[in-house]
């Protein structure tokens, strides 16, 4: 027994019941043969090409492929809405009430007018037929246009395109901008019209569309995506993670007209030759909209948009200040420390207020939504604008743009956690001789980073892990700075740091113990992985420094 | 006047004849091409073929052989056609096998679609426009050499020198009366013809009649604003892969202007409501791909000659194979060069150094590319041009008189912010929307920076500046394909006139130091121009084109000498000579040698180049590096 999926199923069922009721049970005549098979068919047949078949380039599909199954690759440049296409037209007669079916195989058809039923023909009653929308069968229909990839086009040529007709379940598979491989039957379509029999355009009946990109969120996608940024540069995992977060960006908020930017600005600092510029140019290529420039002797173009005239020499120059091009994008400024002071001020305005004002021209641009990514060799710019100072000793564009569409929110429950963490950080900052500075900005930064991380996971709600990772990134950036200052101290192993953290947590009481969950939380927020934490627990337990209870929920110092 | 040739007036008859002889042996296609190639080879046979460039469309006989000097602006998708089809003749009730090649429309009767003899073939469509920025003298000269007899009007005299048809808005230097006169001549010519008045109106090329007609909205997609002339859909049957975008071609083909071609569009619009499959081809797309044949004729290509240059004064074949011609030109080269130098010195208000560099610029040419680096380009920045004076305008007119194609781009803020320079793919209409930087090779681009004023460049403006910078530095334009960009290399001579140093990069900056100070600049410059007789100008034109096309080599000996010289110069003062300076010096030496007709560098030439450069640098105001505009 078929389960009714849509109105047509019910309709067919009714018709079949009517038929069997009205028919003499002794009659062995198949009840279905009166209906066209297209109307009764409840399945669709498609061909999937063998995986060994190499997809063709659009320009290689020539006249000799007509009528054959071909597979082509390309980028979708246009897709129509999905429309219903009639495959079987059902009519009822206004005289005898008999139903007439008309299977349609061509793109256009002439509707039937006169009732062909036995009754009407013999009586010559001249029954008129009326089209019944609910009894007719429609399938989904969509037209796509694909274009060759740019690397498939010979030099000096225009990319070719091809029209694709998708039917049934093949519709809504691809959107403009998608890279697809389409298998179908290649057919020419006759240009209709007066005496116009020579010209023909081409199209393909689709039997299968596969989009190249699948958005399954894998377990360690975060690490993988970060790793895919500048894979030729070894290490720098945290820097790469930070850059990834910058590409996605945090959520911008505007409570009561006050704008809180969501964009994440990053300053990369480090010795010459540690791949700062490479990372920058990689981001420049990866970001859908970006502008790369160097601070010193910059070409000006892109960074600036005001034309100024030197009154003495008559020389025309482009003045610093407006980051127009990378609006909603990323601005990569190399050698920021070598930039002219006036320009640098302008950049700060962009980063802080997300506006651009050109005082000289008395013009104010709003809407400069962009993230500034800067690289500098010295620490001349220790301003509070950049969230992440990363010291260097050391994807997909599409996925990132998808991520950007998400607008994750911080749930009520998490805000307490974040507040607590912030208070903790403040406390710590006061104690330590840290040169960096923990302020409300840091809190905003953490919020921005965690919303960006939530976006990366393509979810709508920020979770605890996001906050932890955000804090870890902040911590790492601070640590990297710290290490730069205290150059020659012995590098502490993670286990040692975790040990001292735990000792601190345990306090000075007679029974010094700490809950494992609490300790883990603290360690993770300080930039350690749970695995490192567990390793440290085991290591010091073996050394008999502390004991862990049976349930592994509490650590007691000996 | 030659006699009427069948192969010009009725080429389809010949095609059909060869097809009938062939007995469906596929060889006939080659035979057709060979036949026409042979015919066109005969001494000056190609001048008998009327040209779409200088004969108005309605004077041309449909289905006759015509030629068209054009640039490939866009390439459409290939289309299929019935190369061979079978027809039911209703009168005799017999079947006939016909050839569908070089035709848009089947002839009479019912086509039998199920016939076994049907052959589906493929052809490619190029959208071609007249060569953008082609100078008036080039058009006139081409039209003047034409010996085509245009049939419909017996009284029609190919007196094309005065036609408003080819006039270019940008360079409308002719006095008003002359223009009026030419229009009068045209209308009188038309009244003699036996064409119904309505068609006249549609096709009359004069600009004023356009807006009144319903098809005026049709954008012919010319790269440069204010351009006129026919655009053409060229159907290519044989090796279309050898053609590239922006190639200059002389196409010989069969003209098809059947009104039925435009009918399809109307019918489709009406039927599109019922038929879901029609939804895809938008109205915009129809308009672009099947425009009315009266505005955009179809041309079925029989043979096309790629044009290395569009200078009508030079033989069209490649110069190397034309030794006699070359030696005759080289003979008087020295004197022509001297005269040209004097002329340009006058134009440049007495600055002979600037004139020298202008000559070098005009004969520069990208002769090779190493990886991405174009070799041979010589972008000149002529600084010191007076602000807000007619000087640059006149300078452009002078250059326009000398080079076959050119365009003056006023870099005013309005232009920079509003003009579309980079071609962009329009996916709705499925075509490449042209921009001012879609130019054929060897076009002179005159950037007038004196027109730039203080103010704000918006996103488009910044993009345009970037595009100009890329064009100058890399001789390439990145066309915008929305989902990606595609790089199209080009070979465009860029001359920048500015008051101070240009904000755009350049290969060489020459500061203008006028020694003459005429009281009325405009009068003076016009007088200088008028003083040049046409025969003199023609000599200059030939000189520039020939010098540009010469081959050039450096012997090992000289290379070594240059190398030692470089080391020597660095020894004295490492600051004085960078690798870039050497590169420029080599370019100058190369162009200097070529301008003297020498195709190899001599020791003497090297010394001269060094002197020239030293003089130029000493005259260039020292650049204070304040604005960070270093290229």
């Amino acid at each position: 027994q078929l389960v009714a999926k849509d109105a047509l199923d019910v309709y067919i069922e009714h018709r079949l019941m009517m038929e069997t009721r009205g028919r003499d049970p002794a009659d062995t005549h198949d009840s279905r043969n009166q209906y066209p098979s297209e109307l009764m068919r409840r399945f669709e047949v498609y061909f999937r090409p063998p995986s060994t078949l190499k997809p063709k380039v659009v320009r290689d599909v020539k006249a000799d492929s007509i009528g054959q199954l071909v597979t082509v690759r390309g980028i979708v440049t246009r897709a129509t809405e999905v429309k219903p296409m009639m495959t079987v037209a059902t009519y009822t007669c206004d005289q005898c009430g008999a139903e007439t079916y008309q299977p349609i195989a061509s793109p256009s058809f002439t509707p039937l007018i006169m009732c062909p039923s036995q009754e009407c023909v013999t009586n010559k009653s001249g029954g008129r037929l009326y089209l019944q929308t609910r009894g007719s069968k429609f399938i989904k229909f969509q037209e796509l246009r694909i274009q060759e990839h740019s690397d498939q086009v010979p030099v000096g040529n225009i990319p070719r395109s091809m029209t694709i007709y998708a039917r049934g379940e093949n519709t809504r598979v691809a959107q403009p901008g998608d890279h697809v491989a389409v298998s179908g039957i290649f057919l020419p379509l006759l240009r209709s019209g007066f005496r116009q029999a020579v010209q023909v355009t081409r199209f393909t009946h689709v039997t299968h569309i596969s989009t190249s990109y699948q958005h399954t969120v894998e377990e360690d996608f975060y690490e993988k995506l970060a790793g895919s940024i500048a894979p030729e540069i070894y290490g720098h995992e945290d820097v790469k993670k930070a850059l990834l977060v910058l590409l996605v960006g945090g959520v911008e908020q505007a409570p009561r007209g006050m704008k809180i930017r969501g964009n994440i600005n990053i300053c990369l600092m480090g010795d010459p030759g540690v791949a700062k510029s490479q990372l920058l140019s990689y981001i420049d290529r990866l970001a859908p909209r970006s502008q790369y420039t160097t601070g010193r002797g910059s070409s000006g173009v892109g960074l600036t948009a005001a034309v100024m005239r030197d009154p003495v020499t008559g020389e025309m120059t482009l003045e610093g200040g407006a980051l127009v091009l990378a609006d909603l994008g990323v601005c990569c400024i190399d050698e920021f420390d070598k930039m002219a002071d006036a320009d640098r001020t302008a950049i700060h305005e962009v980063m802080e207020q997300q506006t651009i004002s050109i005082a000289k021209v008395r013009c104010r641009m709003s809407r400069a939504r962009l993230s500034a990514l800067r690289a500098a060799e010295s620490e001349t710019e220790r301003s509070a604008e950049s969230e992440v100072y990363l010291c260097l000793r050391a994807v997909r564009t599409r996925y990132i743009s998808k991520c950007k569409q998400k607008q994750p929110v911080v749930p009520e429950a998490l805000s307490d956690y974040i507040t607590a963490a912030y208070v903790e950080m403040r406390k710590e900052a006061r104690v330590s001789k840290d040169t960096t500075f923990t302020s409300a900005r840091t809190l905003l930064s953490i919020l921005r980073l965690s919303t960006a991380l939530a976006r990366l996971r393509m979810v709508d709600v920020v979770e605890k892990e996001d906050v932890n990772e955000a804090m870890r990134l902040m911590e790492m950036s601070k640590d990297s700075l710290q290490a730069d200052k205290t150059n020659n101290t012995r590098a502490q192993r993670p286990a040692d740091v975790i040990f001292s953290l735990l000792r601190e947590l345990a306090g000075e009481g007679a029974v010094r113990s700490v809950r494992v969950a609490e300790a883990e939380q603290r360690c993770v927020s300080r930039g350690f992985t749970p695995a490192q934490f567990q390793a440290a627990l085991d290591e010091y337990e073996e050394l008999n420094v502390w004991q862990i209870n049976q349930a592994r929920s509490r650590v007691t110092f000996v | 006047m030659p006699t009427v040739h069948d192969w010009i007036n009725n080429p389809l008859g010949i095609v059909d004849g060869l097809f009938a002889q062939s007995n469906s042996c596929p060889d006939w296609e080659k035979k057709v091409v060979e036949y026409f190639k042979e015919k066109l080879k005969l001494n000056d046979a190609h001048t008998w073929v009327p040209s779409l460039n200088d004969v108005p469309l309605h004077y041309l006989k449909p289905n006759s052989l015509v030629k068209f000097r054009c640039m490939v602006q866009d390439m459409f998708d290939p289309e299929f056609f019935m190369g061979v089809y079978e027809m039911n003749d209703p009168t005799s009730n017999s079947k006939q096998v016909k050839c569908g090649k070089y035709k848009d429309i089947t002839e009479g009767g019912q086509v039998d679609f199920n016939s076994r003899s049907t052959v589906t073939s493929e052809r490619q469509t190029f959208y071609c426009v007249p060569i953008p920025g082609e100078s008036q003298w080039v058009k006139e000269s081409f039209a003047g050499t034409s010996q085509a007899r245009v049939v419909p009007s017996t009284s029609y005299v190919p007196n094309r020198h005065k036609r408003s048809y080819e006039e270019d808005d940008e360079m409308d230097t002719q006095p008003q009366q002359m223009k009026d006169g030419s229009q009068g001549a045209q209308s009188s010519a038309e009244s003699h013809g036996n064409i119904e008045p309505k068609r006249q109106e549609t096709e009359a090329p004069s600009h004023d009649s356009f807006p009144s007609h319903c098809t005026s909205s049709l954008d012919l997609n010319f790269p440069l604003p204010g351009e006129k002339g026919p655009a053409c859909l060229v159907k290519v049957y044989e090796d279309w892969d050898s053609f590239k975008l922006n190639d200059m071609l002389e196409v010989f083909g069969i003209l098809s202007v059947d009104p039925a071609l435009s009918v399809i569009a109307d019918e489709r619009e009406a039927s599109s409501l019922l038929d879901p499959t029609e939804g895809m081809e938008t109205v915009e797309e129809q308009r672009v791909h099947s425009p009315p044949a009266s505005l955009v004729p179809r041309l079925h290509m029989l043979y096309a000659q790629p044009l290395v240059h569009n200078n009508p004064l030079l033989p069209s074949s490649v110069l190397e194979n034309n030794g006699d011609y070359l030696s005759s030109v080289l003979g008087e080269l020295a004197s022509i060069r001297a005269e040209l130098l004097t002329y340009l010195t006058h134009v440049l208000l007495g600055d002979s150094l600037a004139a020298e560099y202008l000559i070098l610029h005009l004969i520069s040419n990208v002769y090779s590319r190493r990886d991405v680096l174009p070799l041979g380009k010589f972008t000149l920045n002529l600084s010191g041009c007076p602000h807000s004076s007619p000087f640059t305008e006149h300078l452009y007119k002078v250059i326009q008189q000398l080079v076959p194609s050119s365009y003056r781009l006023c870099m005013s803020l309005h232009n920079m912010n509003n003009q579309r320079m980079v071609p962009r793919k329009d996916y709705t209409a499925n075509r490449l929307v042209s921009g001012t930087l879609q130019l054929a090779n060897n076009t002179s681009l005159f950037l007038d920076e004196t027109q730039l004023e203080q103010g704000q460049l918006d996103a488009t403006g910044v993009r345009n500046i970037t595009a100009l910078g890329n064009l100058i530095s890399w001789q390439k334009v990145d066309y915008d394909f929305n989902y990606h960009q595609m790089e199209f290399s080009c070979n465009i001579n860029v001359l920048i006139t500015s008051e101070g140093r240009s904000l755009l990069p350049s290969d060489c900056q020459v500061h203008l130091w006028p020694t003459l100070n005429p009281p009325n600049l405009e009068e003076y410059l016009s007088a200088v121009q008028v003083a040049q007789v046409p025969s003199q100008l023609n000599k200059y034109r030939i000189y520039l084109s020939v010098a540009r096309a010469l081959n050039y080599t450096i012997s090992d000996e000289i290379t070594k000498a240059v190398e030692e010289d470089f080391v020597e110069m660095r020894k004295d003062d490492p600051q004085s000579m960078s690798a870039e300076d050497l590169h420029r010096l080599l370019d100058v030496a190369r162009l200097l040698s070529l301008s003297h007709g020498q195709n190899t560098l001599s020791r003497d030439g090297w010394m001269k180049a060094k002197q020239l450069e030293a003089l130029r640098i000493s005259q260039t105001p020292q650049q204070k590096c304040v604005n960070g505009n270093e290229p």
Side-chain angles (χ1 to χ4, degrees), chain A residues 78 143 156 161 197 298 305 309, chain B residues 77 82 245 280 285 457 499 628:
Chain A
R78 193 139 60 103
E143 216 170 320
S161 57
S298 103
R309 187 161 180 275
Chain B
D77 291 327
M82 284 188 278
L245 198 74
M280 192 66 173
E285 197 170 349
L457 283 178
E499 204 178 345

Side-chain angles (χ1 to χ4, degrees), chain A residues 44-48 167-171 206-208:
Chain A
E44 292 175 10
V45 177
Y46 298 108
F47 294 93
R48 184 185 278 270
R167 294 191 171 83
E169 294 307 305
N170 274 326
T171 54
V206 182
T207 57
H208 178 73

Side-chain angles (χ1 to χ4, degrees), chain B residues 33-44:
Chain B
V33 177
E34 282 306 311
Y35 177 88
F36 284 99
K37 260 191 194 168
E38 282 303 314
K39 282 283 178 198
L40 286 166
K41 256 186 209 158
L42 285 173
N43 42 44
D44 56 348

Side-chain angles (χ1 to χ4, degrees), chain A residues 196-313:
Chain A
Q196 186 71 21
V198 181
Q199 282 191 359
V200 180
T201 48
R202 36 204 244 143
F203 76 103
T204 307
H205 275 287
V206 182
T207 57
H208 178 73
I209 300 179
S210 68
T211 42
S212 317
Y213 299 142
Q214 273 161 9
H215 310 289
T216 46
V217 175
E218 288 170 46
E219 264 312 287
D220 53 347
F221 78 102
Y222 174 54
E223 274 76 19
K224 275 191 180 161
L225 263 182
S228 74
I229 291 179
E232 71 272 20
I233 298 165
Y234 177 78
H236 292 329
E237 278 93 3
D238 282 326
V239 180
K240 288 179 181 178
K241 279 177 189 170
L243 292 177
L244 180 67
V245 169
L246 167 127
L247 280 176
V248 177
V251 179
E252 187 183 298
Q253 275 159 351
R256 288 185 295 278
M258 186 187 73
K259 210 165 99 180
I260 301 176
R261 82 187 142 92
N263 307 64
I264 294 164
N265 301 323
I266 294 182
C267 177
L268 300 178
M269 274 184 351
D271 298 333
V274 286
K276 295 188 300 292
S277 301
Q278 242 124 316
L279 283 169
L280 233 61
S281 61
Y282 195 90
I283 295 299
D284 178 48
R285 269 176 287 153
L286 198 64
R289 194 186 283 186
S290 77
Q291 181 64 46
Y292 181 88
T293 176
T294 61
R296 179 177 48 183
S298 103
S299 70
V301 176
L303 237 190
T304 65
V307 178
M308 304 298 292
R309 187 161 180 275
D310 186 325
V312 184
T313 61

Side-chain angles (χ1 to χ4, degrees), chain A residues 79-127:
Chain A
T80 58
E81 286 168 58
V82 175
K83 299 173 196 167
M85 186 161 90
M86 202 179 260
T87 46
V88 181
T90 304
Y91 304 88
T92 32
C93 175
D94 62 349
Q95 294 292 319
C96 65
E99 282 176 346
T100 309
Y101 305 95
Q102 181 191 19
I104 296 156
S106 58
S108 56
F109 70 99
T110 319
L112 301 175
I113 296 166
M114 302 308 291
C115 179
S117 73
Q118 201 68 40
E119 202 179 323
C120 279
V121 172
T122 40
N123 294 351
K124 291 207 170 75
S125 56

